[in-house]
């Protein structure tokens, strides 16, 4: 018996996934625009700066990896590589942006490294979870 063809991801799910990517990018940009002293006021708990970068970019990678999975025919390997490189590039732009934000230290290679590692970890975790818990109704791009 041959397995049935994967079911395409419904349009609402594809829109929701890309909306998550955009909201994540806007949130990172807004937070990077806040002066350093104002940003500390917003945090309800003390979190190591590099851990915050890692977690934020891991969350962005989950969003982007799922959006790509549900809207392209790319294999997971390509999604992981693209997501890691794209969010690493976003991290570079974010660090440059912080150079022009009062009371912020921009162009920090360690922040960028945490961003890149978080992006790679988020993309890889999304792939591994997807492989570990296969759906009986596999979501793929429409037309596959």
């Amino acid at each position: 018996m041959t397995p049935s063809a994967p079911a395409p991801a419904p349009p609402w799910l594809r829109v929701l996934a890309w909306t998550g990517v955009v909201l994540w990018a806007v949130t990172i940009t807004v937070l990077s625009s806040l002066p350093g002293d104002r940003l500390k006021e917003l945090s309800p708990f003390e979190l190591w700066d590099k851990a915050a970068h890692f977690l934020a970019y891991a969350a962005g990678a989950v969003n982007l990896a799922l959006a790509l999975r549900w809207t392209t025919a790319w294999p997971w390997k390509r999604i992981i590589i693209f997501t890691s490189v794209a969010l690493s590039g976003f991290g570079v732009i974010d660090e440059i942006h912080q150079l022009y934000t009062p009371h912020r230290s921009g162009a920090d290679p360690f922040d960028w490294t945490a961003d890149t590692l978080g992006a790679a970890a988020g993309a890889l975790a999304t792939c591994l979870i997807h492989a570990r818990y296969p759906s009986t109704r596999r979501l793929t791009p429409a037309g596959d």
Side-chain angles (χ1 to χ4, degrees):
M1 182 162 97
T2 60
S4 61
W12 66 267
L13 188 56
R14 288 181 268 151
V15 169
L16 184 64
W18 283 108
T19 300
V21 172
V22 170
L23 288 175
W24 173 84
V26 168
T27 301
I28 294 294
T29 303
V30 167
L31 290 175
S32 290
S33 299
L34 295 175
D37 50 352
R38 176 73 178 119
L39 188 60
K40 288 181 182 177
E41 292 173 11
L42 293 176
S43 179
F45 53 90
E46 190 67 31
L47 184 64
W48 181 44
D49 178 54
K50 304 313 178 247
H53 279 262
F54 182 92
L55 292 172
Y57 277 74
V62 170
N63 284 326
L64 182 56
L66 289 174
L68 289 169
R69 181 65 178 180
W70 294 335
T71 58
T72 70
W74 291 358
W76 275 111
K77 182 178 178 180
R78 186 172 188 184
I79 290 172
I80 292 168
I81 292 168
F82 180 87
T83 298
S84 300
V85 170
L87 292 189
S88 179
F90 189 87
V92 168
I93 293 167
D94 182 46
E95 287 300 313
I96 293 169
H97 170 245
Q98 287 181 30
L99 285 172
Y100 303 100
T101 305
H103 308 291
R104 296 293 292 269
S105 60
D108 183 343
F110 298 107
D111 282 355
W112 172 77
T113 301
D115 297 343
T116 301
L117 291 174
L124 184 59
T126 303
C127 170
L128 292 175
I129 290 169
H130 187 273
R132 174 70 175 99
Y133 299 103
S135 173
T136 56
R137 180 174 145 64
R138 188 66 78 185
L139 298 177
T140 60
D144 275 5

